[in-house]
Amino acid sequence: MNNDISKVLVTEQEIVQICKTLGGKITKDYQDKQPILIGLLKGCMPFMSDLSRQIDLKFDMAYMSVSSYHGGIASSGDVKIKMDLDISIKGRDVLIVEDIVDTANTIVTIVELFKHRGANSVKIVTLLDKPEGRLRPFEPEYVGRVIPKEFVVGYGLDYNEYYRNLPYVGVLKPEIYNH
Ligand code: PRP
């Protein structure tokens, strides 16, 4: 699996540090609140697991399965809810946990949906932000690392469902998706 990676962008050690830093900020900012962390599956899984253990607050967690890539390396723009939340978020302070914000198609759609459902506040924490990929304006409140416009995998991010279990974030060799 490691042979398919041309370059490591965010190392395991850097990810540990990012989770500590973001966890500390979130703990401070939500001191007087009881947020709900909502992870967007499947990509959020490792980040949500590591980040949540760095947040020193009483909070609950929920998951939603959303997909816009349907395999391949480009967003389809068509955001599908494959599994919805099993709780109401009316009046709640929602913190959405994402692995990456790229075109922002996914996150803009979900933020609008959560506001429509009556959330008190909706903020985003994302491990990676790829601002050059934007098709719609959007700025996440908490960002682990800004990355260039390259197709990355690992630590939750996939290519055709593979590589999510890499412990770091890396650039996939183009020959893997060009053949
Ligand atoms: C990925 C990622 C984000 C979204 C970001 O999900 O987890 O949710 O794409 O891209 P965007 O900003 O261009 O919308 P994907 O649709 O691949 O589903 P997955 O999490 O199951 O891999």
Side-chain angles (χ1 to χ4, degrees):
M1 193 168 53
N2 290 282
N3 290 338
D4 295 350
I5 305 301
S6 62
K7 182 170 61 177
V8 176
L9 268 192
V10 194
T11 66
E12 267 189 90
Q13 292 81 352
E14 285 170 320
I15 292 173
V16 170
Q17 200 46 55
I18 286 170
C19 290
K20 279 191 184 151
T21 306
L22 290 178
K25 274 188 196 158
I26 291 165
T27 303
K28 203 163 149 244
D29 293 354
Y30 284 84
Q31 205 53 242
D32 308 322
K33 299 191 172 92
Q34 193 179 351
I36 178 165
L37 263 63
I38 298 184
L40 302 187
L41 294 169
K42 303 172 189 171
C44 73
M45 204 194 52
F47 183 48
M48 180 114 161
S49 170
D50 289 339
L51 175 73
S52 62
R53 285 174 288 166
Q54 298 297 332
I55 302 175
D56 187 10
L57 291 172
K58 203 171 157 192
F59 58 84
D60 49 337
M61 294 192 251
Y63 297 90
M64 194 167 176
S65 182
V66 179
S67 179
S68 67
Y69 279 68
H70 319 312
I73 63 160
S75 166
S76 66
D78 166 33
V79 180
K80 278 204 169 57
I81 296 176
K82 298 199 285 188
M83 182 190 78
D84 207 342
L85 297 173
D86 56 0
I87 36 99
S88 163
I89 53 166
K90 197 167 170 37
R92 299 296 312 270
D93 293 303
V94 174
L95 183 58
I96 301 176
V97 182
E98 263 287 28
D99 50 350
I100 186 166
V101 177
D102 185 353
T103 64
N105 280 335
T106 306
I107 201 66
V108 167
T109 306
I110 298 302
V111 168
E112 279 168 11
L113 176 70
F114 286 180
K115 286 189 175 157
H116 178 74
R117 289 182 180 180
N120 183 52
S121 67
V122 183
K123 291 188 179 178
I124 316 311
V125 54
T126 184
L127 174 71
L128 306 172
D129 187 10
K130 201 195 278 184
E132 290 167 46
R134 290 290 193 283
L135 292 178
R136 326 162 69 152
F138 186 81
E139 275 189 46
E141 283 78 9
Y142 303 97
V143 174
R145 174 71 80 77
V146 173
I147 60 164
K149 201 175 176 190
E150 287 181 289
F151 187 71
V152 292
V153 294
Y155 198 69
L157 292 118
D158 74 307
Y159 170 60
N160 282 349
E161 294 301 326
Y162 294 119
Y163 307 104
R164 294 192 198 271
N165 56 321
L166 277 177
Y168 55 84
V169 176
V171 178
L172 193 61
K173 288 180 180 166
E175 60 257 39
I176 305 295
Y177 51 82
N178 280 340
H179 70 80

